[in-house]
Each structure stands twice: as structure tokens, then as C-alpha cells.
Amino acid sequence: MDHPGRGVPFSIRALATAIGRHPSLIGHLLTGERDDLESEDAQATAEVLGVALLVLFAPPASPNQNSVAPEK
């Protein structure tokens, strides 16, 4: 969070305030306790930081990594 896309550093509290969420949400993302956000929160975070959404959140390799393709 020291070098966001717009060049202005964010604290956890400042980023949370900018997206309208509690600072613990950002803290949990940073510690790895959470690895996802609701789509609206993810988009708002990317916009505030000035980066593309995929820079912050990579989609899973497949829609459901635990499922097996049905046999034909």
C-alpha cells in the first residue's frame, strides 16, 4: 500500500474509509485471513488505489477447482 497507482500511500484506515468499509476488512485481506471481497468492494478498492481489478484479485484457474468435468 506504499506505492498505489495514483502515487498516494494509504493507511489501512484511510483505504477502508475511502471504500466505505470497516478497517478490519482491509486488515484481514493484508494478513491473508480473507482472500476475496464482494465484487462491489473489490471494484471500489481497485478504483481508489488506481489499479486494474486483476492487479489486486486474480480469478481462480477454473470456475470450481474441486469439480471434475462430466464424462461424455
Side-chain angles (χ1 to χ4, degrees), residues 1 10-21 26 44-46 48-49:
M1 293 199 324
F10 279 93
S11 67
I12 292 172
R13 186 174 305 279
L15 179 56
T17 298
I19 66 168
R21 296 292 179 238
I26 304 303
T45 302
V48 166
L49 292 175

Side-chain angles (χ1 to χ4, degrees), residues 7-61:
V8 178
F10 279 93
S11 67
I12 292 172
R13 186 174 305 279
L15 179 56
T17 298
I19 66 168
R21 296 292 179 238
H22 194 273
S24 65
L25 176 67
I26 304 303
H28 292 165
L29 287 169
L30 289 172
T31 63
E33 189 173 331
R34 283 190 67 144
D35 61 1
D36 64 351
L37 287 176
E38 296 293 327
S39 60
E40 298 84 21
D41 292 338
Q43 187 63 45
T45 302
E47 287 178 15
V48 166
L49 292 175
V51 299
L53 184 63
L54 292 178
V55 169
L56 298 177
F57 303 98

